[in-house]
């Protein structure tokens, strides 16, 4: 039985086809100024024509989200809560919920309805999830101050944790290493994390973002690359 894993980011789509955890096919599509307007939808439609797919896992890293304590049940407020962080188009965005019991939090996030409908129309067993929940579920913090950074193509998400408690989560669209560095260092100053006392752990597209990492090393004392995406090894798509 083949499984299709889809990862949607700010400007792209990444997918893997696997069987028994062995990846047989993998590809990425990223939007540029020359890319046709509906390219991601068209690429998704092509991927979904594979008749051997019997299971689908969908991960959204789109930064339309809000983080709430687990058990918050006023789901009708989901769109309004997300709108504090990003503009929301209720007509074209599906409201989703992702719960992380490990840390006692839940994410409301929106997912484009045109993507959602294409996937649902297949009538294949599908699980939708938010990348932040998947990321959070794979980390094992210690009793210290930590910044966990997951790098994408022109995007990053990060958690700040103190004594295994979530202090902050953010998901940023950024276009340069300077942007990455500014947001991370700005966050430290706002939450009172000292550079020398904070452990930085980095995951994902570390090779693509090598300049950011080398610049970060100039400022921080404790930095560790935990996971580097290589062919057929995508952090979010492969993490169990």
């Amino acid at each position: 039985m083949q499984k299709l894993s889809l990862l949607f980011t700010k400007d792209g789509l990444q997918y893997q086809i696997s069987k028994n955890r062995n990846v047989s096919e993998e590809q990425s599509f990223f939007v540029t100024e020359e890319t046709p307007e509906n390219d991601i939808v068209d690429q998704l439609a092509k991927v979904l024509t594979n008749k051997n797919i019997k299971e689908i896992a969908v991960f959204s890293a789109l930064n339309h989200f809000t983080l709430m304590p687990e058990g918050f049940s006023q789901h009708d407020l989901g769109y309004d809560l997300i709108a504090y962080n990003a503009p929301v188009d209720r007509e074209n965005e599906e409201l989703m919920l992702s719960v992380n019991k490990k840390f006692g939090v839940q994410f409301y996030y929106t997912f484009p309805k045109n993507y959602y409908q294409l996937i649902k129309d297949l009538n294949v067993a599908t699980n939708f999830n938010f990348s932040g929940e998947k990321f959070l579920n794979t980390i094992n913090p210690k009793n210290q101050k930590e910044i966990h950074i997951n790098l994408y193509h022109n995007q990053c998400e990060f958690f700040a944790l103190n004594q295994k408690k979530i202090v902050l989560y953010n998901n940023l669209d950024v276009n340069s290493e300077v942007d990455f560095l500014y947001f991370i260092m700005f966050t430290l100053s706002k939450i009172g994390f000292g550079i020398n006392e904070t452990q930085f752990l980095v995951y994902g597209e570390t090779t693509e973002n090598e300049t950011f990492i080398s610049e970060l090393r100039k400022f921080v004392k404790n930095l560790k690359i935990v996971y580097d995406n290589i062919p057929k090894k995508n952090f979010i798509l492969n993490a169990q």
Side-chain angles (χ1 to χ4, degrees):
M1 180 179 71
Q2 290 190 332
K3 177 180 179 180
L4 172 65
S5 298
L6 300 165
L7 171 61
F8 293 87
T9 56
K10 177 196 77 166
D11 56 4
L13 164 65
Q14 301 173 51
Y15 79 87
Q16 286 183 352
I17 296 176
S18 61
K19 184 176 182 180
N20 298 325
R21 298 188 181 180
N22 294 315
V23 177
S24 60
E25 184 178 341
E26 176 182 80
Q27 197 161 352
S28 300
F29 306 98
F30 295 108
V31 173
T32 66
E33 293 181 357
E34 291 77 33
T35 304
E37 181 178 355
N38 296 316
D39 186 62
I40 296 299
V41 175
D42 293 340
Q43 297 296 346
L44 174 61
K46 291 178 183 177
V47 173
L48 295 176
T49 60
N50 188 324
K51 302 301 182 182
N52 295 319
I53 299 300
K54 303 301 180 185
E55 181 184 356
I56 302 176
V58 182
F59 303 98
S60 174
L62 303 173
N63 67 352
H64 285 201
F65 71 92
T66 193
L67 178 64
M68 299 297 289
E70 182 186 5
F72 181 83
S73 59
Q74 294 179 264
H75 304 314
D76 56 315
L77 296 179
Y79 281 117
D80 294 328
L81 292 169
I82 294 169
Y84 284 112
N85 297 321
V88 173
D89 183 353
R90 296 183 185 224
E91 295 299 315
N92 295 302
E93 295 181 47
E94 194 79 20
L95 181 63
M96 316 288 281
L97 175 65
S98 185
V99 179
N100 186 283
K101 295 185 176 296
K102 180 178 176 181
F103 288 89
V105 296
Q106 61 191 42
F107 298 85
Y108 287 101
Y109 65 102
T110 60
F111 189 68
K113 285 188 177 181
N114 53 350
Y115 300 169
Y116 181 82
Q117 201 57 54
L118 273 175
I119 296 167
K120 293 294 288 185
D121 284 347
L122 283 185
N123 291 318
V124 171
T126 302
N127 179 62
F128 290 87
N129 201 358
F130 184 60
S131 64
E133 194 282 325
K134 180 72 170 182
F135 182 24
L136 185 60
N137 209 40
T138 62
I139 64 179
N140 294 294
K142 298 178 181 178
N143 291 314
Q144 59 186 356
K145 293 181 178 179
E146 299 177 355
I147 302 289
H148 294 259
I149 305 169
N150 187 20
L151 298 170
Y152 296 97
H153 177 82
N154 292 337
Q155 188 175 348
C156 78
E157 61 184 341
F158 64 92
F159 282 97
L161 296 104
N162 188 7
Q163 304 296 313
K164 300 184 179 182
K165 302 293 184 182
I166 298 173
V167 177
L168 177 71
Y169 168 77
N170 211 340
N171 184 321
L172 307 166
D173 298 343
V174 286
N175 297 308
S176 72
E177 291 83 4
V178 174
D179 289 342
F180 278 136
L181 194 59
Y182 171 79
F183 282 120
I184 297 298
M185 303 309 283
F186 178 76
T187 296
L188 286 180
S189 67
K190 289 298 182 181
I191 63 178
F193 276 32
I195 290 178
N196 292 333
E197 67 176 346
T198 303
Q199 179 73 46
F200 289 78
L201 302 106
V202 187
Y203 312 71
E205 297 293 346
T206 61
T207 301
E208 177 180 336
N209 294 288
E210 184 177 0
T211 302
F212 161 70
I213 293 171
S214 64
E215 289 298 312
L216 185 60
R217 286 190 190 277
K218 296 177 182 179
F219 295 92
V220 306
K221 181 180 179 181
N222 306 302
L223 189 150
K224 178 182 179 182
I225 306 265
V226 181
Y227 198 104
D228 177 27
N229 283 349
I230 58 176
K232 297 185 179 181
K233 295 288 184 181
N234 182 291
F235 176 58
I236 291 297
L237 296 183
N238 286 75
Q240 299 301 318

